[in-house]
Amino acid sequence: MLMPVTSEAFSLLHRGTWALALAERQGLCIDVAYCNKTIRRVERRIENTMGELQDSPLFAAGRKVYGRKFNPASNDHLAQILYSDLGYTPSKKTASGKASTDEESLRATGQADIVKLLECRKLEKIKTTYLGNFLKEQIDGVMHPFFNLNRVITFRSSSSSPNFQNIPNRDPEMKLLARQAIIPRPGHLLLCADYSGAEVRIANSYHHDPTMTTYNKDSSKDMHRDMALELFKLKPPQIIKPVRNIAKGKFVFAQFYGDWYKSCAEGMWQDVLNEDYAKLADGTPLLRHMKKVGIGTPEAFENHVKKVERSFWYTRFPVYAQWKEDWWEAYQNKGYFDTYTGFRCQTVMSRNDAVNYPIQGSAFHCLLWSLCRVTEISIRDNWKSRIVGQIHDEMVLDVHPSELELVVRTLHRVMERELVEHYAWITVPMLADVEGSPVDTPWSQKGKLDLSGIL
DNA sequence: GGAACTCGCCAC
DNA sequence: AAACGTGGCGAGTTCC
């Protein structure tokens, strides 16, 4: 049973449904010509790459077993050929116990043709899930993604037809190929405003750990950097962003979600092996440094991560650790918990579920509350600018240039000031990052708009 | 020929 | 004791 238990929460869902319906009706413009052109280009690239693989050992073995029906896009075929016929050992299994053929497993074989196959997988994803789906969903050059408030166990939202919440962002090539398709209305620009560190700050407002509070109040402090220093035994001048990001993604967030040192150590080790980005400020490979300081083997590193994990929870954030215990205990006694935003979650949950759901849900409610406020202001004041989408802790707007300063100032005021005045339980600052693309340029240009004159 | 499933992979 | 949280979607496959 999931339901609002305060009138405040009830009202948020109603206002949220209305505000998101307006965003859905507005929709986002699609560059149809670009989509068509790029789909054809991507198809040619796939054809060429597949062509290069025709005489490869992988395809030869495939045709021997399946004849003309060999399909390199079939994971069943791939598993049969690689693991039974060519004799590679599967590095892991799927949930149902079959040999896995995901990217990590394929790379682990070291088979020479795999790289090209993975390239094709990536391009297929762009062609079908993104560009193809945009074309299918657009009407007269506008697509209208849905934003659902009733589909997610944690009280987050979901999006569909098309899903606006999983458009490539990390892989630079995929980001460009997919996001060039999304454009502002003629003469407008796309703007986005996201809550930085939303879940960390909302978690902080539940557990009140003093060390975490310091990180969130003092902008000169950097938790992920501090953890990178500890995890890889580095001195401050040695560290650069990619190494910090390994610690952030594979340790800090994983730990917050309930992971443990063994799998964290494995995940980080995979990254450490990639010398393209796992290096120090002077260019030294991170792994070479780790060998020098005695954590340069998987075993030694795992052992070290075990100790870092212990100090992370027992020394650095003991109040947070205790909050997890207390929250889990209270849930087990009552059979439910209530979020600070006024929602009851009464269902069977694991320990990780019970301590993660309230954070994930409440962080989204902060975004939703802000989105409602901005929508109401935009209607009241007859803005030409409109909210057009939302990605959990970020809202996306289609903005008329004459209103740029007004919109940016409103976003900061609502997201940073009004939100924390409204939710008195928020005990650390909430910060909004606003970025945009220049007028008449696609969403791939996010960050290129100069906003330094404003604020 | 469609429903339901598995798997892989994109986002936060 | 347990062991990374939440979604959507396409392709391949199986079942009816």
Side-chain angles (χ1 to χ4, degrees):
Chain A
M1 173 90 79
L2 301 147
M3 59 184 301
V5 287
T6 65
S7 59
E8 212 293 308
F10 190 72
S11 157
L12 179 66
L13 287 188
H14 280 263
R15 294 164 64 221
T17 300
W18 169 78
L20 290 171
L22 289 190
E24 290 170 0
R25 187 175 67 182
Q26 185 66 38
L28 289 115
C29 292
I30 290 298
D31 186 338
V32 173
Y34 166 82
C35 287
N36 283 317
K37 190 183 71 190
T38 306
I39 285 173
R40 284 197 299 270
R41 229 183 62 215
V42 164
E43 275 170 349
R44 277 200 300 275
R45 272 180 67 184
I46 294 171
E47 256 173 56
N48 289 341
T49 311
M50 283 296 183
E52 291 167 22
L53 284 171
Q54 285 309 314
D55 302 322
S56 67
L58 185 66
F59 275 46
R63 278 193 302 268
K64 208 160 153 191
V65 175
Y66 295 100
R68 283 176 52 243
K69 291 200 165 146
F70 173 60
N71 180 0
S74 159
N75 293 322
D76 290 359
H77 290 198
L78 227 45
Q80 167 70 33
I81 300 303
L82 282 169
Y83 302 134
S84 297
D85 299 311
L86 296 179
Y88 293 101
T89 310
S91 64
K92 65 174 178 182
K93 295 187 168 181
T94 68
S96 71
K98 288 194 274 185
S100 171
T101 56
D102 66 3
E103 175 168 357
E104 188 193 326
S105 309
L106 293 185
R107 284 195 193 280
T109 64
Q111 208 280 340
D113 310 320
I114 286 305
V115 179
K116 283 178 179 167
L117 203 66
L118 288 171
E119 173 78 4
C120 290
R121 265 194 189 170
K122 199 165 100 169
L123 294 170
E124 279 289 343
K125 182 91 177 163
I126 289 291
K127 182 191 149 190
T128 56
T129 305
Y130 298 109
L131 301 184
N133 212 15
F134 293 165
L135 277 183
K136 199 166 78 188
E137 295 290 344
Q138 60 83 29
I139 296 170
D140 296 333
V142 184
M143 67 171 181
H144 302 267
F146 293 134
F147 297 98
N148 317 293
L149 291 179
N150 57 346
R151 303 283 305 170
V152 181
I153 188 84
T154 62
F155 292 104
R156 259 198 190 176
S157 66
S158 73
S159 170
S160 54
S161 305
N163 182 351
F164 185 64
Q165 295 176 324
N166 71 347
I167 300 169
N169 198 24
R170 293 167 197 172
D171 181 309
E173 192 192 8
M174 291 186 83
K175 177 179 182 173
L176 186 67
L177 286 170
R179 295 190 175 217
Q180 269 184 297
I182 298 172
I183 53 178
R185 281 180 284 164
H188 285 226
L189 61 93
L190 291 171
L191 196 73
C192 65
D194 76 293
Y195 275 117
S196 68
E199 289 192 7
V200 172
R201 288 166 186 274
I202 294 310
N204 202 164
S205 300
Y206 275 77
H207 59 61
H208 301 116
D209 186 286
T211 307
M212 186 73 77
T213 303
T214 307
Y215 276 117
N216 283 325
K217 285 190 170 169
D218 181 347
S219 61
S220 71
K221 292 197 172 289
D222 183 340
M223 166 172 57
H224 302 303
R225 187 172 161 280
D226 287 354
M227 289 320 298
L229 295 177
E230 206 176 315
L231 285 161
F232 303 115
K233 296 194 176 184
L234 293 164
K235 298 205 163 56
Q238 295 177 294
I239 201 168
I240 50 174
K241 203 89 177 244
V243 172
R244 171 188 180 275
N245 284 345
I246 297 174
K248 176 182 173 181
K250 299 287 169 70
F251 184 81
V252 177
F253 280 137
Q255 287 287 326
F256 285 165
Y257 285 136
D259 204 1
W260 66 317
Y261 71 91
K262 256 187 204 292
S263 111
C264 288
E266 257 180 56
M268 285 189 283
W269 187 258
Q270 288 306 314
D271 285 354
V272 166
L273 293 180
N274 188 336
E275 295 191 355
D276 288 342
Y277 58 88
K279 50 190 178 191
L280 308 186
D282 64 2
T284 313
L286 177 58
L287 184 56
R288 193 190 303 167
H289 163 83
M290 289 166 67
K291 288 197 167 120
K292 217 180 292 173
V293 294
I295 51 172
T297 66
E299 295 73 27
F301 185 55
E302 181 185 297
N303 199 29
H304 174 60
V305 175
K306 185 177 181 177
K307 284 185 237 160
V308 175
E309 179 189 66
R310 194 175 308 147
S311 86
F312 185 78
W313 288 110
Y314 289 99
T315 308
R316 194 179 286 257
F317 300 123
V319 178
Y320 191 172
Q322 187 60 48
W323 174 84
K324 286 192 178 194
E325 287 307 317
D326 296 345
W327 188 267
W328 169 234
E329 183 74 24
Y331 159 69
Q332 286 179 294
N333 290 333
K334 292 186 296 185
Y336 68 85
F337 63 73
D338 290 338
T339 69
Y340 288 176
T341 48
F343 292 82
R344 179 159 301 174
C345 202
Q346 183 163 20
T347 182
V348 178
M349 286 175 268
S350 70
R351 185 181 185 279
N352 280 348
D353 292 343
V355 297
N356 280 324
Y357 289 3
I359 309 303
Q360 200 178 95
S362 303
F364 171 65
H365 287 143
C366 291
L367 185 277
L368 185 61
W369 187 90
S370 307
L371 186 146
C372 289
R373 274 293 292 148
V374 174
T375 301
E376 284 154 8
I377 292 165
S378 73
I379 297 295
R380 182 196 68 196
D381 295 345
N382 269 315
W383 287 7
K384 298 186 185 83
S385 308
R386 284 280 189 274
I387 293 176
V388 292
Q390 159 271 126
I391 314 164
H392 308 304
D393 61 4
E394 166 184 358
M395 55 181 121
V396 180
L397 301 95
D398 183 299
V399 173
H400 190 275
S402 67
E403 296 173 345
L404 180 59
E405 184 168 343
L406 170 70
V407 172
V408 172
R409 286 182 187 280
T410 304
L411 287 168
H412 279 285
R413 189 186 76 238
V414 169
M415 294 175 73
E416 295 178 339
R417 279 227 310 277
E418 292 188 17
L419 178 86
V420 294
E421 285 162 14
H422 175 74
Y423 285 138
W425 52 269
I426 297 178
T427 49
V428 294
M430 295 296 281
L431 298 178
D433 266 350
V434 180
E435 286 188 308
S437 48
V439 174
D440 287 323
T441 63
W443 205 24
S444 51
Q445 299 297 301
K446 185 179 77 167
K448 298 273 168 64
L449 180 68
D450 182 15
L451 296 168
S452 58
I454 306 170
L455 297 164

